[in-house]
Amino acid sequence: MARTLTHKQLETAVHNAYDACKDLAGGQNAHYIPYLANVDAGLFGISLCTPDGHVISVGDTAYRLGIESVSKVHTAILVLRQLGAAGLLEKIGADATGLPFNSIFAILLENDRPSTPLVNAGAITACSLVEPKGNAEAKWQAIVQNMTDLLGSAPQLIDELYHSESATNFENRSITWLLKEYGRIYDDPEMALDLYTRQCSLGVTAEQLAISAATIADDGVNPVTKKRVFDAALAPKIVALMAAVGFYQNTGDWIYSTGLPAKTGVGGAVIGVMPGLFGRCAFAPPLDDAGNSVKAQAALKHIINGLGLNVFSNEAVELAK
Ligand code: GLU
């Protein structure tokens, strides 16, 4: 018989994690993007959303944070929708790099494909693949519409962040042109880089991100708007990508110790997906050396371990009606 998880248990787990982690010290804001370096390091919030649309939030979950690399999940979903699972595997790949998010070495090692849409190289290729090709504005609309459907409400570009990143993204420029050399950019390279930079600069709340994670947990149906955003068959593919590389070079340690497929961003957000049960987002700007939020990962680990859940476990768990 399946173990039943109540909404009350989830609410208690979220609040306990907030209390346990709120005074955790350590880490520093992303220092290489001037806008992020100056965000209030004391911000902290956790949101959880269930497939029946119940949202639990505590802390700074209405603060509009820079989505950064969490957006890679959303645009990977768009590419999956447009190209299908086999198309994404062929054009980008689904391999863990075991290396930092902006590694050029990873591209040199695996020059047949960028590895995965969840590191910078694969995410820039993903932006080059977005249809319709050759039209920056139409591609941007597709990226934003897809994200809006996943979040359940619109993201808003943070202009200052976009200009801050555009003026300092020399490493991503190198990545883009190296990929072009390897035949892995499928549209104008500068356009692909700009779309990537813009999507990273979108402002979203932790609550919106939790709803988007819950849309994955709910097999492609947004639990709040009830709109089907993507085909149910694609949900395990996106969860597999997150499990493989969501914490960059620390992914193995993370997934081993939590059993929670998750994806981080240098804005300080981490989303996590437990298929069928919930999607979550924790947010706090100070990061560890790999670029993963110190407090957010501690909070997610506290919740998942406290509830005794693990995506690799054979225990059947269901949400109380
Ligand atoms: N915009 C950031 C970059 O490309 C995103 C990195 C991240 O969040 O991991 O460097």
Side-chain angles (χ1 to χ4, degrees):
M1 224 182 65
R3 167 157 70 106
T4 304
L5 204 57
T6 65
H7 291 90
K8 184 74 203 151
Q9 279 175 298
L10 292 175
E11 203 167 316
T12 305
V14 168
H15 283 270
N16 286 349
Y18 183 84
D19 291 340
C21 301
K22 67 177 188 307
D23 297 322
L24 205 63
Q28 60 169 1
N29 288 22
H31 54 274
Y32 70 103
I33 300 172
Y35 174 90
L36 294 178
N38 295 321
V39 165
D40 178 358
L43 290 163
F44 179 42
I46 311 172
S47 275
L48 180 149
C49 177
T50 54
D52 55 8
H54 193 83
V55 179
I56 301 159
S57 289
V58 56
D60 300 309
T61 56
Y63 175 82
R64 207 163 278 282
L65 60 110
I67 187 170
E68 296 299 339
S69 280
V70 178
S71 67
K72 289 170 177 155
V73 172
H74 303 95
T75 299
I77 290 172
L78 179 59
V79 172
L80 280 168
R81 290 172 63 189
Q82 293 186 336
L83 293 191
L88 182 140
L89 190 63
E90 194 248 302
K91 294 268 191 319
I92 303 177
D95 261 347
T97 61
L99 289 164
F101 59 88
N102 54 0
S103 177
I104 288 177
F105 196 47
I107 308 168
L108 295 170
L109 283 174
E110 191 156 359
N111 65 36
D112 62 333
R113 284 173 304 169
S115 296
T116 162
L118 300 194
V119 299
N120 290 17
I124 294 167
T125 293
C127 286
S128 80
L129 284 165
V130 166
E131 304 280 358
K133 296 271 171 58
N135 183 335
E137 195 40 45
K139 281 167 83 102
W140 177 241
Q141 289 311 323
I143 289 169
V144 172
Q145 187 56 54
N146 174 66
M147 196 179 288
T148 302
D149 290 342
L150 289 163
L151 301 171
S153 52
Q156 273 168 28
L157 190 72
I158 305 174
D159 276 318
E160 206 186 325
L161 177 55
Y162 172 53
H163 292 302
S164 189
E165 285 210 39
S166 300
T168 53
N169 62 353
F170 306 112
E171 213 144 17
N172 288 337
R173 270 172 211 284
S174 312
I175 288 172
T176 305
W177 286 102
L178 190 57
L179 289 171
K180 173 70 181 164
E181 170 67 19
Y182 288 144
R184 291 293 169 182
I185 292 287
Y186 299 91
D187 209 336
D188 179 76
E190 290 294 340
M191 184 202 292
L193 174 65
D194 182 59
L195 288 168
Y196 168 75
T197 310
R198 260 198 277 174
Q199 78 172 26
C200 286
S201 307
L202 286 167
V204 292
T205 67
E207 197 162 296
Q208 284 179 304
L209 287 179
I211 293 168
S212 72
T215 304
I216 302 170
D218 195 23
D219 285 341
V221 176
N222 185 308
V224 174
T225 64
K226 311 292 180 210
K227 178 174 175 176
R228 173 160 294 284
V229 186
F230 60 87
D231 197 86
L234 298 177
K237 301 299 180 199
I238 194 70
V239 176
L241 290 171
M242 292 168 72
V245 76
F247 268 70
Y248 303 124
Q249 66 270 42
N250 292 350
T251 305
D253 285 354
W254 168 262
I255 200 79
Y256 180 85
S257 50
T258 63
L260 172 71
K263 177 73 193 90
T264 71
V266 295
V270 183
I271 61 168
V273 175
M274 276 307 284
L277 293 179
F278 48 74
R280 290 167 314 154
C281 174
F283 156 66
L287 312 174
D288 65 15
D289 290 343
N292 303 321
S293 168
V294 172
K295 256 188 212 176
Q297 52 180 308
L300 292 191
K301 195 183 272 187
H302 196 281
I303 296 172
I304 203 86
N305 290 348
L307 291 169
L309 297 171
N310 189 316
V311 80
F312 300 112
S313 161
N314 70 355
E315 187 195 16
V317 183
E318 64 184 24
L319 203 61
K321 294 272 179 285

